[in-house]
């Protein structure tokens, strides 16, 4: 499978893409545990069908010490007993923030309240930015059919 577009083929789009990736790096540095970020990135990417990001975040999480069991259970996190309450709240927020068209009102008050029990304002801002960023990157990759499977853990860090 070949990608429809190469984001780095032309000077101006490449510059814009580098700025986007710099923003993503800054968001990842905000105070949400790295393991939670990877679980959220994986779940958002699963929902959006972004194979590149599923590949990347699975490998990065595994390289950082995340267990195979927890990675496999992200798709069924509601029934899995391997996540903390804080992680579950982040995954729920990520799902509703990703499925805004399905939720017909965005993130519900109960979901927000559960997240707010585990994360302070700075962390909630970080989670919202991270979920939004992942949705944008997923869409870029899905629209342009970026091929997956060749990512090496840490390649973009």
């Amino acid at each position: 499978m070949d990608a429809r577009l190469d984001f780095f083929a032309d000077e101006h789009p490449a510059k814009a893409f580098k700025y986007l990736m710099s923003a993503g790096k800054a968001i990842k540095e905000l105070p949400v545990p790295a393991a939670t970020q990877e679980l959220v990135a994986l779940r958002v990417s699963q929902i959006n069908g972004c194979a590149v990001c599923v590949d990347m975040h699975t490998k990065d999480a595994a390289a950082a010490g995340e267990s195979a069991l927890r990675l496999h259970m992200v798709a069924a996190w509601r029934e899995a007993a391997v996540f903390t309450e804080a992680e579950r709240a982040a995954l729920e927020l990520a799902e509703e923030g990703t499925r805004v068209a399905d939720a017909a009102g965005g993130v519900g008050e109960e979901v927000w309240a559960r997240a707010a029990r585990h994360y302070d304002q700075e962390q909630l801002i970080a989670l919202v930015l991270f979920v939004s960023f992942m949705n944008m990157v997923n869409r870029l990759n899905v629209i342009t059919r970026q091929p997956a499977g060749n990512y090496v853990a840490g390649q973009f860090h």
Side-chain angles (χ1 to χ4, degrees):
M1 181 172 154
D2 293 324
R4 290 176 169 162
L5 294 174
D6 177 354
F7 292 115
F8 298 100
D10 298 303
E11 177 185 354
H12 296 297
K15 185 177 180 180
F17 196 76
K18 286 179 184 177
Y19 284 134
L20 289 174
M21 294 302 101
S22 293
K25 184 176 181 186
I27 292 167
K28 284 192 72 124
E29 293 172 358
L30 294 172
V32 172
T36 301
Q37 289 184 24
E38 292 299 339
L39 295 172
V40 164
L42 180 55
R43 186 63 190 129
V44 169
S45 301
Q46 289 171 338
I47 292 166
N48 289 326
C50 182
V52 172
C53 291
V54 168
D55 182 36
M56 177 190 312
H57 294 289
T58 300
K59 289 175 179 173
D60 283 345
E66 189 61 72
S67 74
L69 173 63
R70 283 171 41 95
L71 292 174
H72 292 304
M73 296 305 295
V74 168
W77 67 268
R78 291 178 191 277
E79 294 81 26
V82 297
F83 302 109
T84 67
E85 287 302 314
E87 290 168 338
R88 296 170 68 74
L91 288 165
E92 186 176 34
L93 178 66
E95 278 196 8
E96 284 205 4
T98 298
R99 294 182 163 147
V100 291
D102 299 339
V107 175
E109 291 300 324
E110 291 177 7
V111 171
W112 186 261
R114 278 190 286 279
R117 280 196 291 269
H118 298 283
Y119 300 99
D120 64 24
Q121 180 170 312
E122 187 178 24
Q123 292 171 313
L124 287 169
I125 291 169
L127 280 168
V128 169
L129 286 170
F130 191 64
V131 169
S132 299
F133 180 81
M134 284 307 307
N135 274 286
M136 178 198 60
V137 172
N138 287 171
R139 281 155 176 75
L140 288 169
N141 289 326
V142 170
I143 291 167
T144 61
R145 292 189 178 165
Q146 297 297 317
N150 296 320
Y151 180 77
V152 175
Q155 181 176 333
F156 295 132
H157 302 291

